[in-house]
Amino acid sequence: AQTVTQSQPEMSVQEAETVTLSCTYDTSESDYYLFWYKQPPSRQMILVIRQEAYKQQNATENRFSVNFQKAAKSFSLKISDSQLGDAAMYFCAYRSFYQGGSEKLVFGKGTKLTVNP
Amino acid sequence: DAGVTQSPTHLIKTRGQHVTLRCSPISGHKSVSWYQQVLGQGPQFIFQYYEKEERGRGNFPDRFSARQFPNYSSELNVNALLLGDSALYLCASSLDREKLGGQPQHFGDGTRLSIL
């Protein structure tokens, strides 16, 4: 079974600075997807960024980028120019590649990000 | 376009009762998944339905059941409620096109279920 580990329960960053959230995962599969979701106090889980394991290039979305190290099974999220609105719980999630099968997401326990003005 | 909608927003029940949670996916999405999020934890997968058929089931007891309707909306039913069932229940939908694996799931705001 796949597992996702987020070793940082809480992180803080000053507004406009950069922060990196860590995520490691365990799987025997060679093809899969990885996601970062953001969950503000409003509760809705919002997709931040996704990465296909077969792509070597790291995904980027505006101020958000990932450092995907497949051999090390590591998938960290970097937030540049942090904004107050980035404050939230961040969850790393894994999904098997198999098409036609379950779309089950396996989530980590999350990292609470605080942005200080 | 409307996002994933869930009802009710909050619900309070007592032990032993039954509850039904509802979810309407984004228009055009045929796949619906249910997750349980206990306070302080990441969501745990309960069920996935696609075209009214169960596609996946997580490690939850038979007290949990679900179904999907022809309009792709879905219900999650929980019988014989326990205190441990208190959680945020999230619904997510996706396109789930066979040729486009890895379609991201879009989540609703969830239903907060409290068991007294």
Side-chain angles (χ1 to χ4, degrees), chain A residues 3-8 22-26 36 92 107-110:
Chain A
T3 59
V4 176
T5 301
Q6 294 179 249
S7 59
Q8 306 153 317
S22 300
C23 172
T24 59
Y25 57 94
D26 187 26
W36 278 98
C92 178
F107 285 88
K109 291 187 175 182

Side-chain angles (χ1 to χ4, degrees), chain A residues 55-71:
Chain A
K55 290 185 177 180
Q56 293 184 342
Q57 186 174 7
N58 289 325
T60 62
E61 287 288 343
N62 300 314
R63 298 183 294 106
F64 299 88
S65 61
V66 298
N67 183 6
F68 173 49
Q69 300 289 330
K70 190 172 183 179

Side-chain angles (χ1 to χ4, degrees), chain A residues 33-53:
Chain A
Y33 301 94
L34 296 166
F35 304 87
W36 278 98
Y37 279 89
K38 166 186 176 182
Q39 188 178 42
S42 64
R43 306 184 325 200
Q44 186 179 30
M45 198 77 73
I46 302 166
L47 178 66
V48 175
I49 200 166
R50 58 177 284 193
Q51 174 81 42
E52 291 88 348

Side-chain angles (χ1 to χ4, degrees), chain A residues 39 43 45 89 91, chain B residues 35-44 86-90 112:
Chain A
Q39 188 178 42
R43 306 184 325 200
M45 198 77 73
M89 285 292 291
F91 292 96
Chain B
Y35 293 83
Q36 180 196 65
Q37 187 178 17
V38 174
L39 191 64
Q41 301 291 319
Q44 296 287 318
S86 295
L88 178 68
Y89 288 84
L90 295 165
R112 174 74 66 188

